[in-house]
Amino acid sequence: MVREQGPPQHPWAYVAVDVVVLTIRDRQLQVMTIRRAIAPGQGGPALPGGFVRLDEDLEAAARRELREETGLEVDYLEQVRTYGAPGRDPRARTFAVLYLAVMADLPDGAAGTDASAASWVPVDELLAVDLPFDHHEMLVDAVERARSKLEYTPIAASFCRTAFTIGDLRRVYEIVWGKRLNPANFARKVQSVEGFVVETGDVVSEGRGRPAKTFTRGDVTRLHPPLRR
Amino acid sequence: MVREQGPPQHPWAYVAVDVVVLTIRDRQLQVMTIRRAIAPGQGGPALPGGFVRLDEDLEAAARRELREETGLEVDYLEQVRTYGAPGRDPRARTFAVLYLAVMADLPDGAAGTDASAASWVPVDELLAVDLPFDHHEMLVDAVERARSKLEYTPIAASFCRTAFTIGDLRRVYEIVWGKRLNPANFARKVQSVEGFVVETGDVVSEGRGRPAKTFTRGDVTRLHPPLRR
DNA sequence: CAAATAGTGTCTCTTAGACAGTATTAT
DNA sequence: ATAATACTGTCTAAGAGACACTATTTG
């Protein structure tokens, strides 16, 4: 019963947070990357992240690192999983708590001081590149989490700006799920889920086609019935 | 960019695993507890758990601690969430990775060497007791995870022995969800989900009533369509 | 005009759930 | 026999998805 002996004689480790920030840009699912200044993976892309401070909660650490490394303030942040394989960081015993963040496609530099080393990359492209630590697995896990959360939470609205059309929302689902959805059935479904979207009363014209009503996100945290993939 | 400076000058911490082991005993959802030998919570119940070794993966640590503290070998083990609020352990900065485990109702002492300080407690009862650290929140989170996993994974079978009846399986759902289910509709539903259960060809008579066919778990990892709560 | 997008109407097929009824056991 | 559990049959209502059609815009 190891724990009963108290901590001082126990092994200690470094604890880091890493963040997969997703958005939709140019009709693609993209992820925020930073350029690594040191080995491993020096000069290459990696997920933003860093060590948790002693006086700081995990989620606060994720937000702080994101702000420091990319200048981003995200709309949605959720813990995904913790990685702790003994050799995952060749330098020292390090655990990494992974967060998934979602944000709307804001104009570059809308926020961001240290944006020089930070850039958006399409998820498929980043998955084809060699990434340090277990960032590849993290990206796969976070994207899969996002995909399944679209089914039963209103997370899709976090990919959109404050006011959005049903078409905007549908494109989120189509791009994240990689699958075409029937516009008519999708619109009916979304509006039948109590509290998912709230009509603003405005309409917007986005290029060609009939102008669309706009909506803001409602107040539910779970969709029932869910939208099936 | 803190991470870029390398670990040595960064804050370190202790990393523990805690495990919520669930089973169904006496028609109740029960959780495995140990008796704490030291403060905080000395003499009271707590979740089994302990510090992760340097050369050990998280899941291996969870299995080892469980074996050492309770003698149990579980059927199903899944990471739930990591807790890292600064003051959560008054002794030192400690992060805890929570695991959910599920097992069948085996006879007491079927396994177990150190079973003296370990005992099953109904979940509702443990939730009403003062628990050390954030074990209360952990228990709530793990039980909620189990509840939702019943919907879309075959985890219910892990509460049953190798061979089980549809009635056994239904009682798992009823007890974990705290809700009566229609036996006829449940049986039809379960057997219509491809790969959830496989008929053995045997029948068993359990007390009164018509003997029931027995089944073993199938090979799917996700149920589609899901069983709705 | 055509093309593109938004939105409505409606039909069909599947499924969830209610519930009645039959089968087989213990007491 | 009665109670309890297993299992089957059947009806109804709701939801998913296909698809035709109307509405309103740009070029």
Side-chain angles (χ1 to χ4, degrees):
Chain A
M1 264 183 275
V2 176
R3 171 174 241 163
E4 310 311 310
Q5 295 155 21
Q9 58 276 55
H10 290 292
W12 50 267
Y14 298 106
V15 177
V17 288
D18 288 305
V19 190
V20 168
V21 191
L22 297 179
T23 198
I24 290 175
R25 277 166 61 99
D26 307 330
R27 308 236 161 176
Q28 285 182 304
L29 185 63
Q30 304 211 10
V31 55
M32 176 55 67
T33 63
I34 55 148
R35 189 154 298 282
R36 277 189 64 79
I38 59 163
Q42 184 168 16
L47 297 177
F51 293 96
V52 180
R53 293 183 179 161
L54 284 175
D55 60 347
E56 183 181 55
D57 198 357
L58 284 164
E59 184 171 320
R63 289 192 189 276
R64 177 183 51 75
E65 286 292 344
L66 213 48
R67 201 181 328 108
E68 290 176 4
E69 295 192 339
T70 69
L72 297 177
E73 300 281 351
V74 295
D75 183 75
Y76 177 85
L77 188 66
E78 172 199 340
Q79 189 182 304
V80 177
R81 187 157 106 68
T82 298
Y83 300 79
R88 58 173 295 283
D89 185 332
R91 302 166 302 181
R93 183 70 168 123
T94 305
F95 292 85
V97 182
L98 176 63
Y99 277 81
L100 163 66
V102 172
M103 59 181 296
D105 177 19
L106 298 175
D108 277 355
T113 49
D114 189 5
S116 54
S119 62
W120 293 107
V121 178
V123 165
D124 292 341
E125 213 171 282
L126 195 62
L127 284 174
V129 168
D130 193 43
L131 294 175
F133 309 110
D134 29 25
H135 286 192
H136 183 95
E137 190 185 353
M138 287 179 176
L139 182 54
V140 170
D141 290 349
V143 169
E144 178 49 36
R145 173 70 63 95
R147 281 199 238 270
S148 58
K149 282 253 167 167
L150 282 188
E151 297 189 53
Y152 57 93
T153 76
I155 192 185
S158 296
F159 282 98
C160 301
R161 309 197 189 189
T162 316
F164 52 86
T165 68
I166 300 294
D168 293 335
L169 200 63
R170 194 185 75 244
R171 271 179 288 279
V172 172
Y173 279 89
E174 290 183 335
I175 291 165
V176 178
W177 283 351
K179 180 184 169 183
R180 283 279 179 160
L181 298 174
N182 180 297
N185 293 337
F186 180 84
R188 219 189 330 256
K189 184 92 206 237
V190 162
Q191 290 174 86
S192 78
V193 177
E194 183 100 14
F196 189 2
V197 296
V198 179
E199 207 172 326
T200 61
D202 296 337
V203 288
V204 287
S205 184
E206 294 168 308
R208 49 213 160 197
R210 170 174 165 179
K213 296 180 195 169
T214 65
F215 297 81
T216 56
R217 62 193 74 171
D219 52 10
V220 290
T221 54
R222 286 185 77 89
L223 309 181
H224 25 247
L227 278 75
R228 291 178 21 193
R229 211 184 304 195
Chain B
M1 260 184 279
V2 175
R3 170 172 240 163
E4 311 310 311
Q5 296 156 18
Q9 57 276 55
H10 289 290
W12 50 266
Y14 299 105
V15 177
V17 288
D18 288 305
V19 190
V20 168
V21 190
L22 298 179
T23 197
I24 290 174
R25 278 166 60 99
D26 308 328
R27 307 236 161 174
Q28 285 183 304
L29 185 64
Q30 305 211 9
V31 55
M32 176 55 67
T33 62
I34 56 147
R35 188 154 299 281
R36 277 187 64 78
I38 60 164
Q42 183 168 16
L47 298 177
F51 293 95
V52 180
R53 293 184 180 160
L54 284 175
D55 59 348
E56 180 180 58
D57 199 356
L58 285 164
E59 185 172 320
R63 289 193 189 276
R64 177 183 51 75
E65 285 292 343
L66 214 48
R67 203 183 326 110
E68 289 176 4
E69 295 192 341
T70 70
L72 297 177
E73 300 281 350
V74 296
D75 182 74
Y76 177 85
L77 189 65
E78 171 198 340
Q79 191 184 303
V80 177
R81 187 156 106 67
T82 297
Y83 301 78
R88 59 173 296 281
D89 185 332
R91 303 166 300 183
R93 184 70 168 122
T94 304
F95 292 85
V97 183
L98 176 64
Y99 277 79
L100 163 66
V102 172
M103 58 182 295
D105 177 19
L106 298 175
D108 278 354
T113 49
D114 188 4
S116 54
S119 61
W120 292 107
V121 178
V123 166
D124 292 341
E125 212 171 282
L126 195 63
L127 284 173
V129 167
D130 193 44
L131 294 174
F133 310 108
D134 28 24
H135 286 192
H136 183 94
E137 191 185 352
M138 288 178 176
L139 182 54
V140 170
D141 290 349
V143 169
E144 178 49 36
R145 173 70 63 96
R147 281 199 238 271
S148 56
K149 282 253 166 170
L150 282 188
E151 297 188 52
Y152 57 90
T153 75
I155 190 184
S158 296
F159 282 98
C160 300
R161 309 196 190 190
T162 316
F164 52 87
T165 68
I166 299 294
D168 293 335
L169 199 62
R170 179 169 48 82
R171 271 180 287 279
V172 172
Y173 279 88
E174 290 183 334
I175 291 166
V176 178
W177 283 351
K179 180 182 168 181
R180 283 279 178 160
L181 299 174
N182 181 297
N185 293 338
F186 180 84
R188 219 188 330 255
K189 183 91 206 237
V190 162
Q191 291 174 87
S192 77
V193 177
E194 183 100 14
F196 188 3
V197 296
V198 179
E199 208 172 325
T200 61
D202 295 337
V203 287
V204 287
S205 184
E206 296 168 307
R208 37 193 180 216
R210 170 175 165 179
K213 295 180 196 168
T214 65
F215 297 81
T216 56
R217 62 193 74 173
D219 52 10
V220 290
T221 54
R222 286 184 78 88
L223 308 182
H224 25 247
L227 277 75
R228 292 177 25 191
R229 214 185 303 192

